[in-house]
Amino acid sequence: MSPIIKKRGDNFTLPSKYLLFILTFICVIMMLVTFGTNVFNRPFNRVLGYAVVPFQQGISKVGGWISHRSEELVQIRTLLDENAALKEQVAALTEENTLLQQDKYELNKLRALMELDDQYGEYEKIGARIISRDSSNWYSSFIIDKGSNDGLADDMNVIAEGGLVGRITSVGPNWSRVTSIIDDTSNVSAMTLATEDNLIVSGDLQLMTDGVISFSKLVDSKNQVAEGDKIVTSNISDKYLPNILIGYIHTINRDANNLTNSGYITPAVDFEHLGEVLVILDLKQQIKE
């Protein structure tokens, strides 16, 4: 019997030092085979392909999704900042545009007043701004920001870009009330510019809804007055200076007495939109008894 392998009944035993030697030899052989050949690489790589690669692919997809979302969040934040900046820019441009429009409006109003000032250049005038008006859609009665401290007095004529507005009816130190020619209490002695025929122009707020006021007592024996003719203040008016434009004849009718005419006038002034006016400092010369 071999001294290496001993038999105990039916079992064979191998001494541990020989077993260790055999296992060491096998490991050395396998190491040499592994480093020298690719016998074990293919099965090992195949196992890695089935086990590790899907896991890596999953990690890669998750990482790519997170990176993409991160880029989107950065882009969204950038767009939000740009949008906020654009909103501020739009607000600034809107404000600037509004100011430019206001300046343009003010410039146009001033140009119109300057033209009116030149038109009635023989009179001394002062500009004033309307600061309040009565509760109406029309400027039938309103307050201006000039008064006795500025040399204003009762019955001074007030004009605007189109012509005659009315006259001052009460004065304070730094304010004045103006009653316009469209007020129900207003009556103006007027005449036709072409024929110098006299008539009376009467205010009527109800008629102003149609953009007209009335006239009466027009004596036109030659039937020369026609629609569209200019109506101005007459020389015989006791409150108004002469030859200030009032408006244009809109409609003319023959009265029942067959002697006079009456009808409607379209005012030269836009009494729905007034902002600035000119006050003529000259008063109509009064004849003392």
Side-chain angles (χ1 to χ4, degrees), residues 52-196:
V52 178
V53 172
F55 181 74
Q56 290 179 339
Q57 290 178 345
I59 294 296
S60 178
K61 289 182 179 179
V62 171
W65 181 82
I66 293 175
S67 176
H68 183 67
R69 292 296 300 168
S70 181
E71 291 178 358
E72 286 184 347
L73 290 176
V74 172
Q75 291 177 355
I76 289 172
R77 174 57 59 186
T78 302
L79 290 175
L80 289 175
D81 293 340
E82 291 178 355
N83 187 46
L86 288 174
K87 283 184 178 180
E88 292 179 358
Q89 186 177 2
V90 168
L93 290 174
T94 301
E95 182 179 0
E96 183 179 354
N97 185 50
T98 301
L99 292 175
L100 288 174
Q101 288 180 344
Q102 290 177 350
D103 291 342
K104 181 180 178 181
Y105 173 77
E106 293 292 336
L107 180 60
N108 291 335
K109 298 288 285 187
L110 290 174
R111 283 176 176 172
L113 289 177
M114 289 180 63
E115 291 176 0
L116 191 65
D117 185 27
D118 294 338
Q119 183 178 349
Y120 300 98
E122 68 271 23
Y123 301 125
E124 184 180 359
K125 296 172 286 294
I126 185 173
R129 185 180 298 273
I130 298 174
I131 56 177
S132 69
R133 68 174 182 179
D134 292 343
S135 57
S136 170
N137 293 331
W138 307 99
Y139 284 86
S140 59
S141 179
F142 54 86
I143 304 295
I144 58 176
D145 62 351
K146 295 291 191 300
S148 57
N149 292 341
D150 304 287
L152 272 58
D154 287 351
D155 293 331
M156 285 185 173
N157 295 182
V158 179
I159 58 178
E161 56 187 282
L164 182 65
V165 173
R167 63 185 179 89
I168 293 177
T169 52
S170 59
V171 179
N174 56 1
W175 61 269
S176 298
R177 176 175 290 276
V178 177
T179 300
S180 69
I181 60 172
I182 67 171
D183 189 78
D184 292 331
T185 62
S186 175
N187 289 288
V188 181
S189 178
M191 67 179 182
T192 58
L193 185 62
T195 63
E196 296 186 349

Side-chain angles (χ1 to χ4, degrees), residues 31-42:
M31 290 174 62
L32 293 174
V33 173
T34 300
F35 285 106
T37 65
N38 58 356
V39 174
F40 298 103
N41 288 345
R42 292 178 182 177

Side-chain angles (χ1 to χ4, degrees), residues 213-249:
I213 54 178
S214 64
F215 75 88
S216 59
K217 299 181 180 180
L218 169 63
V219 177
D220 180 23
S221 57
K222 297 181 179 180
N223 293 324
Q224 293 179 334
V225 180
E227 295 179 0
D229 284 356
K230 288 183 178 181
I231 303 298
V232 298
T233 52
S234 72
N235 296 320
I236 61 175
S237 174
D238 59 342
K239 301 290 184 182
Y240 291 97
L241 298 165
N243 297 317
I244 300 176
L245 179 64
I246 298 174
Y248 307 87
I249 290 183

